[in-house]
Amino acid sequence: MSLPLQLGLADALPDLSVPTRPTAWPDPELVLLNEPLAAELGLDAAALSDNAARWFGGGALPEHVQPRAWAYAGHQFGHLTPRLGDGRAALLGELMRSDGTPVDLQLKGSGRTVFSRRGDGRAALDSVLREYIISEAMHALGVPTTRALAAVRTGETVQRYRTTPGGVLARVASSHLRVGTVEYLAIQEDHDTLRRLVGLALDRHGTDGLDRDADHPALVLLEAVGRRQVRLVARWMELGFVHGIMNTDNTSLSGETLDYGPCAFMEATDPDKVFSLVDEGGRYAWGRQPRIVLWNLARLAEALLPIVDPDPQVAIPRAQAVLERLIAHQETAWLDGMRRKLGLQGVTATDQALADDLVAQLTRARADWTDSFRSLAEDLRHGRPALAGTIDGSWNTRWRARLEGQDPVATAARMDAHNPLYIPRNHLVEAALDAAIGGDFAPTRTLIEVLSDPFRAQPGREAYARPAPDGGQGHWTHCNT
Ligand code: AMP
Ligand code: MG
């Protein structure tokens, strides 16, 4: 078996990537293989597992594979870096999903590239497995995301805040085009390539239902990316997910969650919650994510302005009109999500206040975000006051009045189908990673299995649904993993 790879987008945009050679790690060993995903991509899992350590460990790629590193720029914590690029990743090429849509196959942790700057080009095995666990959990939760195909242990150690085994993640994405890709071309003033990128990104990721001819293609792209991104972040908010490093280079054009670094799920409700040690100002806190995604989309708009119209007086108001529509789209996305979380059918003018009040009360009580919504459904099913002792009785009265005419058992079932019981809780992820560092991958495999079916109770696995004893307060994640 060989890898049926092609170089689609990278071939069509030759100025946006450079050839690179993955490092051949000394003793690569396959530790995880995502067999259902392999099958969906037309790969034979048995044949793949025979070769995965050599291919994904970079040691011996098939002759026809010509790996490349993408160039991109990015606003990191608000500051522009004009040249970032894949400093430790290699695009192997494109595979086809069974529905005929292409995906990028990329190795992360595959060694130095021309974009590495002072970095070592490597990834720690625990960070590789973290991305594997959390991205697959997000997929099972129905969140658009890049996916993990395989994890390899390299046989080398890497130096981080501690010395750990090295790893490589083989991941797939609808593409690795980012807001930072557009910014890179804008900085280069390469308007021809920028125009081509706009067309290719619309071909690849679609218009999100917009009429492609209704506006300038760059503005159609802005609105399509914007809609996907604001809906994505609304889903993150619903799940208590904190991405942790929402720089424009980590913001995909596809609308998939991209670049899992210091991310984690919030346990005790707290809009100011951050997990990343480097995010001292709380820029990427849970409750700030909706504002930040709009900020990132404003950077995308700026980068596209020169091809919309050479005269900024003409281009700016046109982009501004799109951004204003995206703000409205975001309000709708959040409120629709909260209606689903609360089992509300139809739309009433008081829904916003009902949702906002609940968030405020859960915040005051530092209640477990995930657990609270499962408890609400359980209370409804049993005709008990909602979250007694955590929130006040008047909220319960308003919620019940809003549910008037709805069958409580059916409503509770719909809530449970939308609000997960199992999320990648930090203490579970950390315990699995600690075991993996020590060579025992069984806890990681079990955790992945539990998280693949997040909405239904799994008998005997109650511990996986329980919050951390301290509400997860003590958990910190390390950047530059
Ligand atoms: P990230 O914060 O992981 O999205 O990475 C930001 C930038 O730093 C990207 O250009 C990465 O390719 C680069 N980078 C991150 N870690 C490393 C590393 N260990 N070696 C080289 N480049 C890296
Ligand atoms: Mg990144």
Side-chain angles (χ1 to χ4, degrees), residues 162-191:
R162 57 178 175 179
T163 304
T164 49
V168 180
L169 179 72
R171 73 174 181 194
V172 298
S174 288
S175 85
H176 284 87
L177 300 176
R178 307 146 190 268
V179 169
T181 315
V182 179
E183 291 180 291
Y184 178 83
L185 291 174
I187 292 160
Q188 307 283 312
E189 298 185 17
D190 183 351
H191 297 164

Side-chain angles (χ1 to χ4, degrees), residues 72 178 249-250 259:
Y72 49 85
R178 307 146 190 268
D249 51 300
N250 295 334
D259 279 3

Side-chain angles (χ1 to χ4, degrees), residues 131-212:
E131 173 155 353
Y132 195 119
I133 293 166
I134 298 182
S135 63
E136 284 306 298
M138 293 288 265
H139 174 72
L141 289 163
V143 183
T145 179
T146 62
R147 295 196 60 190
L149 179 61
V152 168
R153 181 165 61 186
T154 62
E156 275 208 342
T157 56
V158 300
Q159 194 54 49
R160 293 292 182 267
Y161 65 99
R162 57 178 175 179
T163 304
T164 49
V168 180
L169 179 72
R171 73 174 181 194
V172 298
S174 288
S175 85
H176 284 87
L177 300 176
R178 307 146 190 268
V179 169
T181 315
V182 179
E183 291 180 291
Y184 178 83
L185 291 174
I187 292 160
Q188 307 283 312
E189 298 185 17
D190 183 351
H191 297 164
D192 285 340
T193 308
L194 188 49
R195 275 185 210 99
R196 237 163 349 101
L197 172 65
V198 166
L200 290 163
L202 284 169
D203 292 344
R204 177 94 161 199
H205 302 301
T207 61
D208 201 64
L210 297 163
D211 178 357
R212 192 160 169 169

Side-chain angles (χ1 to χ4, degrees), residues 277-298:
L277 281 168
V278 298
D279 191 0
E280 286 164 9
R283 180 182 171 89
Y284 299 138
W286 177 67
R288 289 185 56 95
Q289 296 182 119
R291 268 174 290 171
I292 289 293
V293 75
L294 292 176
W295 192 91
N296 290 352
L297 292 167

